Amino acid sequence: MTEEFHRSSAAEIPVTSNGDQSPDMVFQRDSYPSVPRALNLSESCVTSANFASTTEGIIESGPYKGTMNEQPKSGAVVLSDDLKSPAMEKLDLVRKWSINTYKCTRQILSEKLGRGSRTVDLDLEAQIEVLRDNKKKYQNVIKLAQTLANQLSQIMQTQRQLGNAFADLSLKSPELHEEFGYNAETQKLLSKNGETLLAAINFFIGSVNTLVDQTIEDTLVNIKQYEFARVEYDAYRTDLEELNLGPRDATTMPRIEFSQQQFQIYREKYERMRNDVSVKLKFLEENKVKVLHNQLILFHNAIAAYYAGNQQQLEQTLKQFHIKLKIPGGDSPSWLEEH
């Protein structure tokens, strides 16, 4: 009887929130097997008896049979790499770009105001300056050669018209038939030689223009990328130097280590771009010398043969450089070729 009484009854322990006994607080334990076991926290629940005081409650231990409503957890939500959306990735890229742009803009302004230092490779900078100067000079040569070609084309047109006029007068003036005929043939010959010279000049213009607008321009694009890498390198170098001058404690050391990592990344990028530009400039110089050597010989020989009246030498020059003389109206196919 006594064992059954103890097994069915609940142990009542009056407690309060500060440890004092109170009749309103009761600790109740349901019936358990005679063998003692550890308290299972998953089978416990806490309920509050809201009577007169908000500090009192009843703690019940035992199998919970009610329905558990999950309470929302507060705090920061950390997403794993697999759950990151493209929008979050784009936002992270924009954030990194903004930081990088700010640092580079600050570096450029400090250099222009004379307050910041910049990394300079004297030998490479000299080569870049020479290349940009040569590009301007080559563009001026192309412009002048194009003007010469336009003027020569106008002269050829005038010569053809003058030759036709002499030929017409030769037929209508029997007493001056031979004299008008000689002049008509001379003007037509000059016009024909002018077409040959014009083909050589246009070939010269096209080759030099390709050298300037494609080969040199491609190298200048790499140079711009190198210069931007230099600005990035100097920006992160300056940032690291400023952090190293400050205090070193638990707050600043992570920032210094992160800045050191970023500095190392942009230093490697700068050195890689510098080496690429050096190689590009070397190959460009070799290609430039080869192209201009041939084109200058072509231009000289064609001009000299034209003004010397050496038609055979002029035609030989075009054959030497594999230049085909364009026949007026020869670009458009005939009706039979189209059909």
Side-chain angles (χ1 to χ4, degrees):
M1 293 292 292
T2 305
E3 293 177 356
E4 293 178 357
F5 173 77
H6 287 292
R7 190 178 296 116
S8 61
S9 62
E12 298 181 359
I13 303 177
V15 296
T16 61
S17 59
N18 57 2
D20 298 333
Q21 294 183 355
S22 173
D24 296 332
M25 296 292 296
V26 180
F27 178 81
Q28 298 179 349
R29 182 168 60 88
D30 293 339
S31 298
Y32 285 92
S34 58
V35 182
R37 63 186 181 89
L39 177 62
N40 189 354
L41 296 179
S42 64
E43 297 178 350
S44 302
C45 68
V46 179
T47 60
S48 175
N50 187 12
F51 296 103
S53 174
T54 59
T55 62
E56 297 179 353
I58 299 175
I59 304 177
E60 298 179 355
S61 176
Y64 181 69
K65 301 179 181 180
T67 303
M68 290 290 292
N69 294 328
E70 295 184 357
Q71 300 295 331
K73 297 180 180 180
S74 61
V77 179
V78 180
L79 298 177
S80 63
D81 294 337
D82 297 337
L83 299 178
K84 287 183 178 180
S85 63
M88 295 294 293
E89 294 178 357
K90 291 181 180 179
L91 184 62
D92 186 59
L93 291 176
V94 171
R95 181 183 64 82
K96 292 179 180 179
W97 175 84
S98 301
I99 295 174
N100 187 69
T101 303
Y102 165 74
K103 291 180 180 294
C104 294
T105 304
R106 184 183 63 178
Q107 177 66 24
I108 293 173
L109 291 177
S110 63
E111 291 178 4
K112 290 184 176 180
L113 295 175
R115 299 176 181 176
S117 61
R118 64 187 300 264
T119 304
V120 179
D121 188 328
L122 297 178
D123 183 43
L124 188 59
E125 293 290 335
Q127 295 181 40
I128 293 173
E129 187 65 26
V130 169
L131 176 63
R132 287 174 171 162
D133 186 60
N134 286 339
K135 181 186 176 183
K136 295 179 181 178
K137 293 179 179 178
Y138 296 156
Q139 287 175 334
N140 185 48
V141 168
I142 293 173
K143 181 180 178 181
L144 295 174
Q146 188 63 55
T147 302
L148 177 61
N150 295 335
Q151 294 175 348
L152 180 60
S153 179
Q154 295 177 357
I155 291 174
M156 289 163 48
Q157 184 178 2
T158 304
Q159 287 172 340
R160 283 193 294 268
Q161 294 175 353
L162 188 58
N164 294 331
F166 283 148
D168 183 62
L169 290 173
S170 176
L171 296 176
K172 297 181 179 180
S173 303
E175 65 279 5
L176 297 174
H177 173 74
E178 293 183 359
E179 288 79 359
F180 279 123
Y182 294 154
N183 282 275
E185 291 177 1
T186 301
Q187 295 300 321
K188 290 181 180 180
L189 180 61
L190 290 174
S191 177
K192 182 179 179 181
N193 291 342
E195 292 177 358
T196 307
L197 176 61
L198 184 62
I201 293 176
N202 287 333
F203 187 83
F204 170 82
I205 293 173
S207 299
V208 178
N209 196 40
T210 301
L211 174 66
V212 173
D213 291 345
Q214 295 184 14
T215 309
I216 294 180
E217 187 62 29
D218 181 64
T219 305
L220 290 176
V221 169
N222 288 94
I223 290 174
K224 290 179 181 179
Q225 295 174 353
Y226 155 74
E227 291 176 341
F228 184 73
R230 196 275 308 165
V231 172
E232 288 181 324
Y233 165 68
D234 283 337
Y236 284 91
R237 175 183 56 81
T238 303
D239 191 39
L240 179 61
E241 291 175 354
E242 292 176 354
L243 289 175
N244 287 330
L245 293 176
R248 291 175 173 266
D249 50 26
T251 304
T252 59
M253 285 305 297
R255 293 182 57 191
I256 294 176
E257 293 177 358
F258 178 76
S259 180
Q260 180 68 35
Q261 294 175 359
Q262 294 295 106
F263 166 75
Q264 185 66 25
I265 292 173
Y266 286 101
R267 184 177 69 177
E268 293 176 357
K269 179 182 177 182
Y270 164 72
E271 292 176 351
R272 184 175 64 254
M273 293 299 301
R274 181 181 60 186
N275 294 334
D276 291 345
V277 169
S278 298
V279 174
K280 275 267 189 180
L281 288 173
K282 181 180 179 181
F283 285 121
L284 174 63
E285 185 66 22
E286 296 176 357
N287 188 30
K288 181 192 70 175
V289 171
K290 181 179 178 180
V291 170
L292 291 180
H293 173 75
N294 294 331
Q295 296 306 314
L296 290 173
I297 291 177
L298 165 66
F299 191 83
H300 171 269
N301 292 346
I303 292 290
Y306 174 79
Y307 284 101
N310 192 340
Q311 180 182 3
Q312 184 178 1
Q313 181 63 32
L314 187 59
E315 293 176 354
Q316 185 64 30
T317 301
L318 266 64
K319 291 180 180 180
Q320 179 183 355
F321 291 92
H322 307 286
I323 302 174
K324 294 183 179 180
L325 184 62
K326 292 184 179 181
I327 302 174
D331 294 338
S332 59
S334 63
W335 182 85
L336 292 176
E337 293 176 343
E338 292 179 349
H339 298 76

